[in-house]
PDB file of all heavy atoms in Angstrom:
ATOM      1  N   THR A   3      30.198 -41.923-185.849  1.00 91.00           N
ATOM      2  CA  THR A   3      30.777 -42.605-184.694  1.00 91.00           C
ATOM      3  C   THR A   3      31.049 -41.633-183.555  1.00 91.00           C
ATOM      4  O   THR A   3      31.242 -40.431-183.750  1.00 91.00           O
ATOM      5  CB  THR A   3      32.092 -43.311-185.079  1.00 91.00           C
ATOM      6  OG1 THR A   3      33.014 -42.337-185.575  1.00 91.00           O
ATOM      7  CG2 THR A   3      31.852 -44.374-186.138  1.00 91.00           C
ATOM      8  N   TYR A   4      31.081 -42.200-182.352  1.00 87.00           N
ATOM      9  CA  TYR A   4      31.365 -41.411-181.159  1.00 87.00           C
ATOM     10  C   TYR A   4      32.755 -40.789-181.247  1.00 87.00           C
ATOM     11  O   TYR A   4      32.972 -39.651-180.829  1.00 87.00           O
ATOM     12  CB  TYR A   4      31.266 -42.311-179.924  1.00 87.00           C
ATOM     13  CG  TYR A   4      31.580 -41.617-178.617  1.00 87.00           C
ATOM     14  CD1 TYR A   4      30.577 -40.982-177.891  1.00 87.00           C
ATOM     15  CD2 TYR A   4      32.880 -41.592-178.102  1.00 87.00           C
ATOM     16  CE1 TYR A   4      30.860 -40.341-176.691  1.00 87.00           C
ATOM     17  CE2 TYR A   4      33.174 -40.951-176.920  1.00 87.00           C
ATOM     18  CZ  TYR A   4      32.148 -40.326-176.211  1.00 87.00           C
ATOM     19  OH  TYR A   4      32.434 -39.678-175.032  1.00 87.00           O
ATOM     20  N   TYR A   5      33.700 -41.539-181.796  1.00 88.00           N
ATOM     21  CA  TYR A   5      35.100 -41.083-181.834  1.00 88.00           C
ATOM     22  C   TYR A   5      35.238 -39.758-182.583  1.00 88.00           C
ATOM     23  O   TYR A   5      35.862 -38.814-182.073  1.00 88.00           O
ATOM     24  CB  TYR A   5      35.966 -42.170-182.482  1.00 88.00           C
ATOM     25  CG  TYR A   5      37.414 -41.784-182.602  1.00 88.00           C
ATOM     26  CD1 TYR A   5      38.295 -41.987-181.548  1.00 88.00           C
ATOM     27  CD2 TYR A   5      37.912 -41.219-183.776  1.00 88.00           C
ATOM     28  CE1 TYR A   5      39.635 -41.625-181.655  1.00 88.00           C
ATOM     29  CE2 TYR A   5      39.252 -40.855-183.889  1.00 88.00           C
ATOM     30  CZ  TYR A   5      40.109 -41.060-182.823  1.00 88.00           C
ATOM     31  OH  TYR A   5      41.431 -40.698-182.926  1.00 88.00           O
ATOM     32  N   VAL A   6      34.694 -39.646-183.776  1.00 88.00           N
ATOM     33  CA  VAL A   6      34.910 -38.442-184.575  1.00 88.00           C
ATOM     34  C   VAL A   6      34.072 -37.272-184.073  1.00 88.00           C
ATOM     35  O   VAL A   6      34.307 -36.127-184.484  1.00 88.00           O
ATOM     36  CB  VAL A   6      34.621 -38.690-186.073  1.00 88.00           C
ATOM     37  CG1 VAL A   6      35.494 -39.794-186.610  1.00 88.00           C
ATOM     38  CG2 VAL A   6      33.153 -38.993-186.306  1.00 88.00           C
ATOM     39  N   ASN A   7      33.128 -37.525-183.212  1.00 87.00           N
ATOM     40  CA  ASN A   7      32.333 -36.429-182.659  1.00 87.00           C
ATOM     41  C   ASN A   7      32.826 -35.968-181.290  1.00 87.00           C
ATOM     42  O   ASN A   7      32.364 -34.941-180.786  1.00 87.00           O
ATOM     43  CB  ASN A   7      30.860 -36.845-182.560  1.00 87.00           C
ATOM     44  CG  ASN A   7      30.199 -36.928-183.916  1.00 87.00           C
ATOM     45  OD1 ASN A   7      30.082 -35.935-184.618  1.00 87.00           O
ATOM     46  ND2 ASN A   7      29.789 -38.128-184.304  1.00 87.00           N
ATOM     47  N   ASN A   8      33.775 -36.724-180.696  1.00 84.00           N
ATOM     48  CA  ASN A   8      34.217 -36.383-179.349  1.00 84.00           C
ATOM     49  C   ASN A   8      35.725 -36.436-179.142  1.00 84.00           C
ATOM     50  O   ASN A   8      36.248 -35.723-178.283  1.00 84.00           O
ATOM     51  CB  ASN A   8      33.554 -37.322-178.323  1.00 84.00           C
ATOM     52  CG  ASN A   8      32.055 -37.162-178.256  1.00 84.00           C
ATOM     53  OD1 ASN A   8      31.542 -36.323-177.524  1.00 84.00           O
ATOM     54  ND2 ASN A   8      31.334 -37.971-179.018  1.00 84.00           N
ATOM     55  N   ASN A   9      36.429 -37.270-179.886  1.00 82.00           N
ATOM     56  CA  ASN A   9      37.840 -37.522-179.587  1.00 82.00           C
ATOM     57  C   ASN A   9      38.797 -37.000-180.647  1.00 82.00           C
ATOM     58  O   ASN A   9      39.922 -37.487-180.754  1.00 82.00           O
ATOM     59  CB  ASN A   9      38.084 -39.029-179.400  1.00 82.00           C
ATOM     60  CG  ASN A   9      37.426 -39.562-178.146  1.00 82.00           C
ATOM     61  OD1 ASN A   9      36.904 -38.807-177.345  1.00 82.00           O
ATOM     62  ND2 ASN A   9      37.462 -40.867-177.967  1.00 82.00           N
ATOM     63  N   VAL A  10      38.386 -36.049-181.452  1.00 84.00           N
ATOM     64  CA  VAL A  10      39.268 -35.482-182.464  1.00 84.00           C
ATOM     65  C   VAL A  10      39.362 -33.972-182.256  1.00 84.00           C
ATOM     66  O   VAL A  10      38.616 -33.389-181.475  1.00 84.00           O
ATOM     67  CB  VAL A  10      38.766 -35.796-183.898  1.00 84.00           C
ATOM     68  CG1 VAL A  10      38.701 -37.293-184.127  1.00 84.00           C
ATOM     69  CG2 VAL A  10      37.396 -35.155-184.140  1.00 84.00           C
ATOM     70  N   GLU A  11      40.313 -33.365-182.948  1.00 82.00           N
ATOM     71  CA  GLU A  11      40.440 -31.912-182.855  1.00 82.00           C
ATOM     72  C   GLU A  11      39.160 -31.234-183.333  1.00 82.00           C
ATOM     73  O   GLU A  11      38.449 -31.754-184.205  1.00 82.00           O
ATOM     74  CB  GLU A  11      41.635 -31.451-183.681  1.00 82.00           C
ATOM     75  CG  GLU A  11      42.972 -31.918-183.128  1.00 82.00           C
ATOM     76  CD  GLU A  11      44.132 -31.360-183.909  1.00 82.00           C
ATOM     77  OE1 GLU A  11      43.880 -30.615-184.885  1.00 82.00           O
ATOM     78  OE2 GLU A  11      45.291 -31.653-183.555  1.00 82.00           O
ATOM     79  N   ALA A  12      38.880 -30.061-182.792  1.00 81.00           N
ATOM     80  CA  ALA A  12      37.615 -29.375-183.062  1.00 81.00           C
ATOM     81  C   ALA A  12      37.382 -29.149-184.554  1.00 81.00           C
ATOM     82  O   ALA A  12      36.252 -29.284-185.044  1.00 81.00           O
ATOM     83  CB  ALA A  12      37.580 -28.054-182.307  1.00 81.00           C
ATOM     84  N   ASP A  13      38.447 -28.843-185.301  1.00 85.00           N
ATOM     85  CA  ASP A  13      38.291 -28.556-186.736  1.00 85.00           C
ATOM     86  C   ASP A  13      37.883 -29.789-187.532  1.00 85.00           C
ATOM     87  O   ASP A  13      37.390 -29.652-188.657  1.00 85.00           O
ATOM     88  CB  ASP A  13      39.598 -27.996-187.301  1.00 85.00           C
ATOM     89  CG  ASP A  13      39.924 -26.619-186.740  1.00 85.00           C
ATOM     90  OD1 ASP A  13      39.002 -25.978-186.205  1.00 85.00           O
ATOM     91  OD2 ASP A  13      41.103 -26.212-186.823  1.00 85.00           O
ATOM     92  N   TYR A  14      38.114 -30.984-186.972  1.00 89.00           N
ATOM     93  CA  TYR A  14      37.864 -32.210-187.727  1.00 89.00           C
ATOM     94  C   TYR A  14      36.686 -33.022-187.184  1.00 89.00           C
ATOM     95  O   TYR A  14      36.462 -34.157-187.611  1.00 89.00           O
ATOM     96  CB  TYR A  14      39.114 -33.092-187.721  1.00 89.00           C
ATOM     97  CG  TYR A  14      40.352 -32.381-188.200  1.00 89.00           C
ATOM     98  CD1 TYR A  14      41.555 -32.477-187.497  1.00 89.00           C
ATOM     99  CD2 TYR A  14      40.317 -31.598-189.351  1.00 89.00           C
ATOM    100  CE1 TYR A  14      42.689 -31.820-187.934  1.00 89.00           C
ATOM    101  CE2 TYR A  14      41.448 -30.931-189.792  1.00 89.00           C
ATOM    102  CZ  TYR A  14      42.631 -31.049-189.073  1.00 89.00           C
ATOM    103  OH  TYR A  14      43.748 -30.384-189.510  1.00 89.00           O
ATOM    104  N   GLN A  15      35.966 -32.447-186.235  1.00 90.00           N
ATOM    105  CA  GLN A  15      34.827 -33.183-185.687  1.00 90.00           C
ATOM    106  C   GLN A  15      33.782 -33.444-186.771  1.00 90.00           C
ATOM    107  O   GLN A  15      33.450 -32.556-187.556  1.00 90.00           O
ATOM    108  CB  GLN A  15      34.202 -32.411-184.531  1.00 90.00           C
ATOM    109  CG  GLN A  15      35.036 -32.456-183.259  1.00 90.00           C
ATOM    110  CD  GLN A  15      34.330 -31.824-182.076  1.00 90.00           C
ATOM    111  OE1 GLN A  15      33.232 -31.281-182.214  1.00 90.00           O
ATOM    112  NE2 GLN A  15      34.954 -31.881-180.907  1.00 90.00           N
ATOM    113  N   GLY A  16      33.276 -34.660-186.784  1.00 90.00           N
ATOM    114  CA  GLY A  16      32.283 -35.055-187.773  1.00 90.00           C
ATOM    115  C   GLY A  16      32.861 -35.545-189.078  1.00 90.00           C
ATOM    116  O   GLY A  16      32.113 -35.992-189.962  1.00 90.00           O
ATOM    117  N   SER A  17      34.184 -35.484-189.245  1.00 93.00           N
ATOM    118  CA  SER A  17      34.844 -35.969-190.464  1.00 93.00           C
ATOM    119  C   SER A  17      35.451 -37.342-190.203  1.00 93.00           C
ATOM    120  O   SER A  17      35.871 -37.642-189.077  1.00 93.00           O
ATOM    121  CB  SER A  17      35.942 -34.999-190.904  1.00 93.00           C
ATOM    122  OG  SER A  17      35.381 -33.730-191.220  1.00 93.00           O
ATOM    123  N   PRO A  18      35.532 -38.198-191.218  1.00 94.00           N
ATOM    124  CA  PRO A  18      36.091 -39.540-191.028  1.00 94.00           C
ATOM    125  C   PRO A  18      37.520 -39.492-190.488  1.00 94.00           C
ATOM    126  O   PRO A  18      38.280 -38.550-190.741  1.00 94.00           O
ATOM    127  CB  PRO A  18      36.047 -40.149-192.433  1.00 94.00           C
ATOM    128  CG  PRO A  18      34.958 -39.406-193.135  1.00 94.00           C
ATOM    129  CD  PRO A  18      35.017 -38.003-192.595  1.00 94.00           C
ATOM    130  N   ALA A  19      37.866 -40.530-189.741  1.00 93.00           N
ATOM    131  CA  ALA A  19      39.207 -40.648-189.171  1.00 93.00           C
ATOM    132  C   ALA A  19      39.635 -42.118-189.238  1.00 93.00           C
ATOM    133  O   ALA A  19      38.831 -43.011-189.504  1.00 93.00           O
ATOM    134  CB  ALA A  19      39.226 -40.140-187.729  1.00 93.00           C
ATOM    135  N   ALA A  20      40.920 -42.349-189.002  1.00 93.00           N
ATOM    136  CA  ALA A  20      41.454 -43.708-189.071  1.00 93.00           C
ATOM    137  C   ALA A  20      42.580 -43.878-188.077  1.00 93.00           C
ATOM    138  O   ALA A  20      43.298 -42.923-187.748  1.00 93.00           O
ATOM    139  CB  ALA A  20      41.954 -44.025-190.480  1.00 93.00           C
ATOM    140  N   ARG A  21      42.701 -45.104-187.606  1.00 92.00           N
ATOM    141  CA  ARG A  21      43.863 -45.502-186.819  1.00 92.00           C
ATOM    142  C   ARG A  21      44.457 -46.724-187.494  1.00 92.00           C
ATOM    143  O   ARG A  21      43.790 -47.748-187.646  1.00 92.00           O
ATOM    144  CB  ARG A  21      43.501 -45.830-185.371  1.00 92.00           C
ATOM    145  CG  ARG A  21      44.743 -46.089-184.520  1.00 92.00           C
ATOM    146  CD  ARG A  21      44.392 -46.382-183.084  1.00 92.00           C
ATOM    147  NE  ARG A  21      43.772 -47.687-182.945  1.00 92.00           N
ATOM    148  CZ  ARG A  21      43.367 -48.197-181.783  1.00 92.00           C
ATOM    149  NH1 ARG A  21      43.483 -47.482-180.682  1.00 92.00           N
ATOM    150  NH2 ARG A  21      42.809 -49.386-181.726  1.00 92.00           N
ATOM    151  N   ILE A  22      45.712 -46.638-187.890  1.00 93.00           N
ATOM    152  CA  ILE A  22      46.388 -47.719-188.605  1.00 93.00           C
ATOM    153  C   ILE A  22      47.524 -48.213-187.723  1.00 93.00           C
ATOM    154  O   ILE A  22      48.458 -47.475-187.425  1.00 93.00           O
ATOM    155  CB  ILE A  22      46.925 -47.219-189.965  1.00 93.00           C
ATOM    156  CG1 ILE A  22      45.770 -46.665-190.806  1.00 93.00           C
ATOM    157  CG2 ILE A  22      47.636 -48.347-190.703  1.00 93.00           C
ATOM    158  CD1 ILE A  22      46.227 -45.989-192.084  1.00 93.00           C
ATOM    159  N   ARG A  23      47.397 -49.459-187.309  1.00 93.00           N
ATOM    160  CA  ARG A  23      48.371 -50.011-186.363  1.00 93.00           C
ATOM    161  C   ARG A  23      49.001 -51.266-186.948  1.00 93.00           C
ATOM    162  O   ARG A  23      48.303 -52.155-187.447  1.00 93.00           O
ATOM    163  CB  ARG A  23      47.694 -50.333-185.034  1.00 93.00           C
ATOM    164  CG  ARG A  23      48.590 -51.047-184.022  1.00 93.00           C
ATOM    165  CD  ARG A  23      47.858 -51.322-182.736  1.00 93.00           C
ATOM    166  NE  ARG A  23      47.528 -50.087-182.038  1.00 93.00           N
ATOM    167  CZ  ARG A  23      46.765 -50.042-180.944  1.00 93.00           C
ATOM    168  NH1 ARG A  23      46.227 -51.138-180.457  1.00 93.00           N
ATOM    169  NH2 ARG A  23      46.511 -48.882-180.368  1.00 93.00           N
ATOM    170  N   LYS A  24      50.324 -51.359-186.860  1.00 93.00           N
ATOM    171  CA  LYS A  24      51.050 -52.552-187.286  1.00 93.00           C
ATOM    172  C   LYS A  24      51.968 -52.988-186.160  1.00 93.00           C
ATOM    173  O   LYS A  24      52.776 -52.204-185.663  1.00 93.00           O
ATOM    174  CB  LYS A  24      51.875 -52.270-188.556  1.00 93.00           C
ATOM    175  CG  LYS A  24      51.017 -51.951-189.780  1.00 93.00           C
ATOM    176  CD  LYS A  24      51.856 -51.792-191.032  1.00 93.00           C
ATOM    177  CE  LYS A  24      51.013 -51.402-192.231  1.00 93.00           C
ATOM    178  NZ  LYS A  24      50.010 -52.421-192.582  1.00 93.00           N
ATOM    179  N   ARG A  25      51.820 -54.244-185.792  1.00 92.00           N
ATOM    180  CA  ARG A  25      52.633 -54.803-184.717  1.00 92.00           C
ATOM    181  C   ARG A  25      53.462 -55.951-185.280  1.00 92.00           C
ATOM    182  O   ARG A  25      52.948 -56.808-185.992  1.00 92.00           O
ATOM    183  CB  ARG A  25      51.737 -55.306-183.590  1.00 92.00           C
ATOM    184  CG  ARG A  25      52.483 -55.839-182.384  1.00 92.00           C
ATOM    185  CD  ARG A  25      51.506 -56.398-181.355  1.00 92.00           C
ATOM    186  NE  ARG A  25      50.492 -55.404-181.022  1.00 92.00           N
ATOM    187  CZ  ARG A  25      49.264 -55.727-180.621  1.00 92.00           C
ATOM    188  NH1 ARG A  25      48.880 -56.978-180.553  1.00 92.00           N
ATOM    189  NH2 ARG A  25      48.398 -54.763-180.318  1.00 92.00           N
ATOM    190  N   LYS A  26      54.730 -55.958-184.951  1.00 92.00           N
ATOM    191  CA  LYS A  26      55.632 -56.983-185.470  1.00 92.00           C
ATOM    192  C   LYS A  26      56.429 -57.590-184.325  1.00 92.00           C
ATOM    193  O   LYS A  26      56.919 -56.876-183.440  1.00 92.00           O
ATOM    194  CB  LYS A  26      56.584 -56.385-186.506  1.00 92.00           C
ATOM    195  CG  LYS A  26      57.484 -57.418-187.170  1.00 92.00           C
ATOM    196  CD  LYS A  26      58.390 -56.766-188.217  1.00 92.00           C
ATOM    197  CE  LYS A  26      59.265 -57.817-188.895  1.00 92.00           C
ATOM    198  NZ  LYS A  26      60.177 -57.223-189.892  1.00 92.00           N
ATOM    199  N   LYS A  27      56.544 -58.913-184.356  1.00 90.00           N
ATOM    200  CA  LYS A  27      57.320 -59.623-183.345  1.00 90.00           C
ATOM    201  C   LYS A  27      58.186 -60.660-184.039  1.00 90.00           C
ATOM    202  O   LYS A  27      57.690 -61.516-184.775  1.00 90.00           O
ATOM    203  CB  LYS A  27      56.407 -60.298-182.322  1.00 90.00           C
ATOM    204  CG  LYS A  27      57.161 -61.015-181.214  1.00 90.00           C
ATOM    205  CD  LYS A  27      56.209 -61.607-180.189  1.00 90.00           C
ATOM    206  CE  LYS A  27      56.981 -62.299-179.071  1.00 90.00           C
ATOM    207  NZ  LYS A  27      56.059 -62.889-178.054  1.00 90.00           N
ATOM    208  N   ASP A  28      59.485 -60.580-183.806  1.00 90.00           N
ATOM    209  CA  ASP A  28      60.446 -61.545-184.349  1.00 90.00           C
ATOM    210  C   ASP A  28      61.020 -62.361-183.200  1.00 90.00           C
ATOM    211  O   ASP A  28      61.497 -61.788-182.202  1.00 90.00           O
ATOM    212  CB  ASP A  28      61.578 -60.841-185.096  1.00 90.00           C
ATOM    213  CG  ASP A  28      61.088 -60.138-186.352  1.00 90.00           C
ATOM    214  OD1 ASP A  28      60.210 -60.698-187.028  1.00 90.00           O
ATOM    215  OD2 ASP A  28      61.574 -59.027-186.640  1.00 90.00           O
ATOM    216  N   SER A  29      60.966 -63.671-183.349  1.00 91.00           N
ATOM    217  CA  SER A  29      61.473 -64.571-182.310  1.00 91.00           C
ATOM    218  C   SER A  29      62.541 -65.478-182.894  1.00 91.00           C
ATOM    219  O   SER A  29      62.401 -65.981-184.020  1.00 91.00           O
ATOM    220  CB  SER A  29      60.333 -65.422-181.728  1.00 91.00           C
ATOM    221  OG  SER A  29      59.337 -64.614-181.164  1.00 91.00           O
ATOM    222  N   PHE A  30      63.598 -65.665-182.127  1.00 93.00           N
ATOM    223  CA  PHE A  30      64.690 -66.544-182.536  1.00 93.00           C
ATOM    224  C   PHE A  30      64.911 -67.574-181.442  1.00 93.00           C
ATOM    225  O   PHE A  30      64.950 -67.245-180.249  1.00 93.00           O
ATOM    226  CB  PHE A  30      65.966 -65.743-182.766  1.00 93.00           C
ATOM    227  CG  PHE A  30      67.173 -66.594-183.055  1.00 93.00           C
ATOM    228  CD1 PHE A  30      67.353 -67.161-184.301  1.00 93.00           C
ATOM    229  CD2 PHE A  30      68.109 -66.836-182.062  1.00 93.00           C
ATOM    230  CE1 PHE A  30      68.464 -67.961-184.568  1.00 93.00           C
ATOM    231  CE2 PHE A  30      69.226 -67.618-182.314  1.00 93.00           C
ATOM    232  CZ  PHE A  30      69.392 -68.188-183.576  1.00 93.00           C
ATOM    233  N   ARG A  31      65.036 -68.830-181.852  1.00 93.00           N
ATOM    234  CA  ARG A  31      65.260 -69.904-180.886  1.00 93.00           C
ATOM    235  C   ARG A  31      66.370 -70.811-181.399  1.00 93.00           C
ATOM    236  O   ARG A  31      66.330 -71.280-182.536  1.00 93.00           O
ATOM    237  CB  ARG A  31      63.983 -70.719-180.679  1.00 93.00           C
ATOM    238  CG  ARG A  31      64.138 -71.865-179.690  1.00 93.00           C
ATOM    239  CD  ARG A  31      62.807 -72.497-179.395  1.00 93.00           C
ATOM    240  NE  ARG A  31      62.905 -73.504-178.355  1.00 93.00           N
ATOM    241  CZ  ARG A  31      61.851 -74.073-177.769  1.00 93.00           C
ATOM    242  NH1 ARG A  31      60.628 -73.722-178.131  1.00 93.00           N
ATOM    243  NH2 ARG A  31      62.029 -74.978-176.833  1.00 93.00           N
ATOM    244  N   ASN A  32      67.348 -71.039-180.538  1.00 95.00           N
ATOM    245  CA  ASN A  32      68.452 -71.933-180.875  1.00 95.00           C
ATOM    246  C   ASN A  32      68.632 -72.929-179.736  1.00 95.00           C
ATOM    247  O   ASN A  32      68.868 -72.541-178.596  1.00 95.00           O
ATOM    248  CB  ASN A  32      69.743 -71.126-181.090  1.00 95.00           C
ATOM    249  CG  ASN A  32      70.936 -72.022-181.351  1.00 95.00           C
ATOM    250  OD1 ASN A  32      71.717 -72.291-180.432  1.00 95.00           O
ATOM    251  ND2 ASN A  32      71.088 -72.479-182.580  1.00 95.00           N
ATOM    252  N   THR A  33      68.505 -74.221-180.050  1.00 95.00           N
ATOM    253  CA  THR A  33      68.618 -75.272-179.047  1.00 95.00           C
ATOM    254  C   THR A  33      69.633 -76.304-179.507  1.00 95.00           C
ATOM    255  O   THR A  33      69.594 -76.765-180.657  1.00 95.00           O
ATOM    256  CB  THR A  33      67.259 -75.962-178.817  1.00 95.00           C
ATOM    257  OG1 THR A  33      66.284 -74.985-178.463  1.00 95.00           O
ATOM    258  CG2 THR A  33      67.359 -76.987-177.703  1.00 95.00           C
ATOM    259  N   ASN A  34      70.537 -76.663-178.625  1.00 96.00           N
ATOM    260  CA  ASN A  34      71.540 -77.687-178.906  1.00 96.00           C
ATOM    261  C   ASN A  34      71.577 -78.667-177.743  1.00 96.00           C
ATOM    262  O   ASN A  34      71.604 -78.253-176.571  1.00 96.00           O
ATOM    263  CB  ASN A  34      72.932 -77.064-179.085  1.00 96.00           C
ATOM    264  CG  ASN A  34      72.969 -76.050-180.215  1.00 96.00           C
ATOM    265  OD1 ASN A  34      72.997 -76.414-181.375  1.00 96.00           O
ATOM    266  ND2 ASN A  34      72.945 -74.768-179.859  1.00 96.00           N
ATOM    267  N   SER A  35      71.551 -79.943-178.044  1.00 96.00           N
ATOM    268  CA  SER A  35      71.596 -80.956-176.988  1.00 96.00           C
ATOM    269  C   SER A  35      72.460 -82.130-177.426  1.00 96.00           C
ATOM    270  O   SER A  35      72.621 -82.404-178.621  1.00 96.00           O
ATOM    271  CB  SER A  35      70.184 -81.448-176.652  1.00 96.00           C
ATOM    272  OG  SER A  35      69.588 -82.067-177.779  1.00 96.00           O
ATOM    273  N   LEU A  36      73.010 -82.809-176.431  1.00 96.00           N
ATOM    274  CA  LEU A  36      73.852 -83.978-176.658  1.00 96.00           C
ATOM    275  C   LEU A  36      73.355 -85.103-175.768  1.00 96.00           C
ATOM    276  O   LEU A  36      73.247 -84.940-174.541  1.00 96.00           O
ATOM    277  CB  LEU A  36      75.317 -83.649-176.330  1.00 96.00           C
ATOM    278  CG  LEU A  36      76.307 -84.820-176.398  1.00 96.00           C
ATOM    279  CD1 LEU A  36      76.419 -85.338-177.835  1.00 96.00           C
ATOM    280  CD2 LEU A  36      77.676 -84.390-175.873  1.00 96.00           C
ATOM    281  N   ASN A  37      73.014 -86.241-176.385  1.00 95.00           N
ATOM    282  CA  ASN A  37      72.559 -87.424-175.663  1.00 95.00           C
ATOM    283  C   ASN A  37      73.620 -88.511-175.762  1.00 95.00           C
ATOM    284  O   ASN A  37      74.227 -88.701-176.835  1.00 95.00           O
ATOM    285  CB  ASN A  37      71.256 -87.963-176.277  1.00 95.00           C
ATOM    286  CG  ASN A  37      70.089 -87.027-176.049  1.00 95.00           C
ATOM    287  OD1 ASN A  37      69.440 -87.067-175.023  1.00 95.00           O
ATOM    288  ND2 ASN A  37      69.825 -86.174-177.033  1.00 95.00           N
ATOM    289  N   TYR A  38      73.821 -89.224-174.655  1.00 94.00           N
ATOM    290  CA  TYR A  38      74.758 -90.343-174.694  1.00 94.00           C
ATOM    291  C   TYR A  38      74.229 -91.482-173.826  1.00 94.00           C
ATOM    292  O   TYR A  38      73.832 -91.271-172.675  1.00 94.00           O
ATOM    293  CB  TYR A  38      76.140 -89.927-174.204  1.00 94.00           C
ATOM    294  CG  TYR A  38      77.184 -90.981-174.474  1.00 94.00           C
ATOM    295  CD1 TYR A  38      77.728 -91.139-175.748  1.00 94.00           C
ATOM    296  CD2 TYR A  38      77.613 -91.837-173.455  1.00 94.00           C
ATOM    297  CE1 TYR A  38      78.674 -92.116-176.014  1.00 94.00           C
ATOM    298  CE2 TYR A  38      78.565 -92.810-173.708  1.00 94.00           C
ATOM    299  CZ  TYR A  38      79.088 -92.956-174.989  1.00 94.00           C
ATOM    300  OH  TYR A  38      80.008 -93.927-175.247  1.00 94.00           O
ATOM    301  N   ASP A  39      74.202 -92.679-174.416  1.00 92.00           N
ATOM    302  CA  ASP A  39      73.793 -93.897-173.723  1.00 92.00           C
ATOM    303  C   ASP A  39      75.054 -94.701-173.413  1.00 92.00           C
ATOM    304  O   ASP A  39      75.803 -95.076-174.327  1.00 92.00           O
ATOM    305  CB  ASP A  39      72.838 -94.697-174.608  1.00 92.00           C
ATOM    306  CG  ASP A  39      72.174 -95.830-173.851  1.00 92.00           C
ATOM    307  OD1 ASP A  39      72.742 -96.267-172.827  1.00 92.00           O
ATOM    308  OD2 ASP A  39      71.102 -96.300-174.298  1.00 92.00           O
TER     309      ASP A  39
END
């Protein structure tokens, strides 16, 4: 791949590499309503 031949430190060029990404999103919703006829 282009990445391991150009975008890594010189000592590791040509060797496999990895990027491990974890994204987490927590959402909380609280709704209260009062109806009167």
Side-chain angles (χ1 to χ4, degrees):
T3 59
Y4 178 89
Y5 178 85
V6 302
N7 288 297
N8 295 273
N9 292 353
V10 300
E11 293 184 0
D13 293 342
Y14 306 133
Q15 286 187 356
S17 298
R21 187 179 71 180
I22 302 173
R23 174 180 294 173
K24 295 185 183 298
R25 183 184 307 152
K26 184 179 181 181
K27 182 177 181 180
D28 294 322
S29 300
F30 174 77
R31 180 172 186 170
N32 176 261
T33 304
N34 301 283
S35 62
L36 175 65
N37 292 275
Y38 191 78
D39 191 337

